[in-house]
Amino acid sequence: MKINFKRPVFVILTAIILIAIQASPAYDLIRFIAVAKPDMLLVFIAFIGFRYGMFEGVIYGFVIGLAQDSVSGGTLGFNAIIFLNLGLVAGFFSNKIYSKRLTVGIILTMIAACLKSLSIFLITVIYLDLESAIIVFKSEFLASLPLTVLFASPLFIILDKLAPLIYENGKAEVNDMLGKDVNE
Amino acid sequence: MLAIIKKFRTLIAYCFLTLFSLTCIILSGTNFTMSLKNIYMVGIFPIQKAALSLSRAIGRIYNNINDMNNLVDELSASRKRLAEVEGAMTSIEDLKRDNERLRKLLNERLEMEYSVEYARVVSKDPQNYYTTIVIDKGTANGIEIGMPVIGYNKGTKGIVGKIIEVKRNYSKVLPLIDRNSQIGVMLDVSRNVGILQGQSLQTVLCYLQFIDKSVEVEEGELVITSGMGGVFPKGYTIGTVFKVEKKNYGLFHDIYVKPAIDLASLEDVYVIKKINDNDLTDLIEEGL
């Protein structure tokens, strides 16, 4: 059995680049202007799960979540558990939605961002207190979610164009007007 | 067997990874999770540093072009100012000598000067619910957990936070605006002491607790470190009083402090190489 390492390597590399961007002081300026910063990694997990299914969504969600935990000041496993669940949910919609890529990106990101806000709320309630949980939930739900959704469509389109070249074996995709793959 | 594993691989992977994540959360702070964090950071840290260098290079080019236009005006203004300063220098020297003489007379114990380590801000927390900052100096440079971190903003020296995690070549800083940060502070005019707590996510303003209602506090009053708590040396600027809420009930004022250091534009910091007074810190934590 031939094992293809191309996708795991490039997915992890993309995730590390996105983490580096998201952790950069320049990107952090968005937080001071718009209260929160958009979560590009969430969009990436939603994309990976949606494109490659639940199994890969779970695996990559976990690995990327753990990578984020190591950079973040929080508890190791906190983001890992949230992101693997997001990968699972995004993977559930794989091959189930046939719509324009733009709409898919927005809808999936919105579902994933809502789930993330809820998960953070629950984990914060369990490990900290209700007051902190409400503050975190408000920041995630009211500020981060709209920004992330705004970022979702262009990022989904870019990833969709790049995916056949960097995550697959260079298969070119032909799209019809609805965005549905002809070669699917 | 293989067929069953293949059929239920998503479920197996999901259950295993969820269990693993929960174990990590439960074992947080232990050597096991710390080692795992280190393995990941080995891969991510160099990329973060490279990304930072690239963004700084682009920023520098842009700034250079911008600065050239202002340079001529600034030069003539600086020459004028230099002439004024030279005149003022003589009187400052006199004042300095007087000050030293009076200090000796008062037998005042002079504050111990600490050595500082310059560091650059490499990254900030990728998520919204933490505010930690990563700097490019670690144990190799003599940095230790608990050391205070200061920064400069428009000529003002102010507290940034304290070191909470140290590795060989990088450290994590807990900024004063973080909800987990608590600093012993003092009002500059009334000399009343209180505790400053961050309230990040809600606002960058910090909440100053335990200032008695009988104390007159003015908006704009300077807030400095009290030196109590064993972490921060006395007399460093924290910020200014932004808002005072006078309530009819309770014993204390609700005071909000605006930090002197703008964390949004913070690029360079200095770590004060001050060894923590652990006994004092333990006593305070027990008291809390």
Side-chain angles (χ1 to χ4, degrees):
Chain A
M1 194 175 76
K2 196 185 163 192
I3 303 166
N4 188 7
F5 287 106
K6 191 181 173 184
R7 191 181 300 159
V9 168
F10 278 99
V11 165
I12 289 164
L13 208 68
T14 315
I16 289 175
I17 292 166
L18 287 178
I19 289 174
I21 294 170
Q22 223 159 279
S24 71
Y27 191 80
D28 202 62
L29 283 175
I30 301 173
R31 178 164 32 189
F32 287 89
I33 300 161
V35 186
K37 50 186 175 186
D39 194 345
M40 289 195 288
L41 279 156
L42 182 135
V43 183
F44 185 56
I45 292 293
F47 173 80
I48 292 291
F50 179 67
R51 194 171 177 102
Y52 301 115
M54 280 203 279
F55 180 70
E56 294 197 41
V58 167
I59 301 286
Y60 292 129
F62 171 77
V63 174
I64 294 166
L66 215 57
Q68 229 188 132
D69 282 326
S70 65
V71 181
S72 162
T75 316
L76 191 81
F78 182 81
N79 280 308
I81 201 160
I82 293 171
F83 275 64
L84 81 90
N85 279 293
L86 296 186
L88 184 87
V89 174
F92 175 77
F93 292 104
S94 180
N95 297 323
K96 283 194 174 73
I97 305 175
Y98 295 105
S99 173
K100 280 187 180 175
R101 291 274 144 78
L102 201 88
T103 332
V104 172
I106 291 171
I107 293 168
L108 263 180
T109 309
M110 206 180 275
I111 294 168
C114 286
L115 261 171
K116 188 188 161 201
S117 307
L118 268 173
S119 315
I120 292 169
F121 177 77
L122 286 174
I123 295 172
T124 322
V125 164
I126 295 165
Y127 284 93
L128 286 168
D129 54 300
L130 187 67
E131 194 199 350
S132 309
I134 291 167
I135 292 165
V136 172
F137 182 76
K138 264 164 69 182
S139 149
E140 278 295 315
F141 198 78
L142 300 176
S144 181
L145 190 144
L147 281 170
T148 309
V149 171
L150 207 72
F151 256 62
S153 329
L155 208 62
F156 242 75
I157 292 166
I158 294 165
L159 288 168
D160 200 53
K161 298 277 176 210
L162 290 174
L165 301 169
I166 56 172
Y167 306 133
E168 290 149 30
N169 293 320
K171 284 185 286 178
E173 277 183 29
V174 183
N175 297 339
D176 63 4
M177 288 303 284
L178 288 167
K180 185 180 164 183
D181 295 344
V182 170
N183 53 6
E184 268 174 6
Chain B
M1 183 68 184
L2 264 173
I4 295 168
I5 291 172
K6 209 172 176 183
K7 195 179 172 190
F8 295 105
R9 64 179 188 158
T10 308
L11 187 71
I12 294 165
Y14 179 76
C15 293
F16 175 74
L17 296 176
T18 305
L19 271 174
F20 186 83
S21 306
L22 284 172
T23 314
C24 285
I25 294 172
I26 292 161
L27 297 176
S28 64
T30 59
N31 282 340
F32 169 70
T33 52
M34 287 298 158
S35 318
L36 257 177
K37 266 193 169 190
N38 288 348
I39 294 166
Y40 263 88
M41 271 309 271
V42 166
I44 294 166
F45 190 65
I47 295 170
Q48 277 189 328
K49 251 190 146 174
L52 179 76
S53 304
L54 189 74
S55 67
R56 281 201 168 177
I58 296 165
R60 223 170 286 142
I61 293 166
Y62 174 78
N63 285 340
N64 285 349
I65 296 165
N66 239 7
D67 288 349
M68 273 168 73
N69 298 325
N70 303 325
L71 218 65
V72 180
D73 294 341
E74 274 182 21
L75 188 70
S76 59
S78 298
R79 277 180 182 155
K80 209 176 158 187
R81 183 104 184 92
L82 186 70
E84 287 170 15
V85 170
E86 272 172 356
M89 275 294 280
T90 333
S91 54
I92 287 170
E93 283 299 320
D94 287 343
L95 284 170
K96 239 182 177 177
R97 268 196 296 275
D98 275 355
N99 192 8
E100 269 176 35
R101 186 175 55 82
L102 287 168
R103 270 175 190 269
K104 274 176 195 164
L105 277 173
L106 281 166
N107 215 4
E108 188 182 327
R109 191 171 67 88
L110 287 168
E111 287 281 333
M112 202 173 94
E113 285 295 322
Y114 302 101
S115 65
V116 290
E117 183 75 38
Y118 167 77
R120 289 195 312 172
V121 176
V122 181
S123 77
K124 295 186 179 180
D125 206 287
Q127 284 297 334
N128 289 308
Y129 31 91
Y130 298 109
T131 49
T132 46
I133 295 167
V134 180
I135 56 169
D136 66 348
K137 295 283 164 70
T139 47
N141 310 93
I143 309 292
E144 286 178 27
I145 288 176
M147 283 181 172
V149 180
I150 57 166
Y152 283 87
N153 197 16
K154 289 169 191 159
T156 316
K157 181 173 70 179
I159 293 286
V160 173
K162 66 172 180 181
I163 304 285
I164 50 162
E165 198 180 315
V166 194
K167 294 289 170 285
R168 193 169 158 70
N169 290 312
Y170 68 91
S171 313
K172 275 183 191 163
V173 180
L174 181 77
L176 77 164
I177 62 158
D178 196 282
R179 280 175 65 80
N180 298 315
S181 161
Q182 283 191 326
I183 302 171
V185 297
M186 174 191 275
L187 290 165
D188 195 35
V189 178
S190 62
R191 312 304 281 179
N192 267 276
V193 291
I195 290 175
L196 189 88
Q197 186 165 23
Q199 12 169 48
S200 57
L201 295 183
Q202 283 182 307
T203 167
V204 290
L205 295 177
C206 301
Y207 180 57
L208 176 53
Q209 304 172 79
F210 309 123
I211 298 291
D212 201 279
K213 265 175 80 177
S214 60
V215 178
E216 275 299 315
V217 186
E218 292 293 321
E219 282 170 13
E221 189 175 340
L222 197 68
V223 179
I224 55 170
T225 49
S226 64
M228 296 172 197
V231 177
F232 296 94
K234 190 180 175 182
Y236 281 81
T237 308
I238 290 278
T240 46
V241 173
F242 184 76
K243 194 169 74 177
V244 186
E245 278 177 9
K246 285 169 185 165
K247 299 178 295 187
N248 295 324
Y249 54 91
L251 296 169
F252 307 109
H253 282 303
D254 274 349
I255 301 172
Y256 295 92
V257 176
K258 189 181 179 197
I261 299 297
D262 179 17
L263 288 164
S265 58
L266 188 70
E267 287 187 353
D268 311 285
V269 292
Y270 295 87
V271 182
I272 302 175
K273 287 184 166 175
K274 173 187 175 293
I275 308 299
N276 237 341
D277 192 343
N278 289 329
D279 293 341
L280 187 61
T281 316
D282 290 346
L283 266 174
I284 289 162
E285 272 170 13
E286 275 171 30
L288 285 173

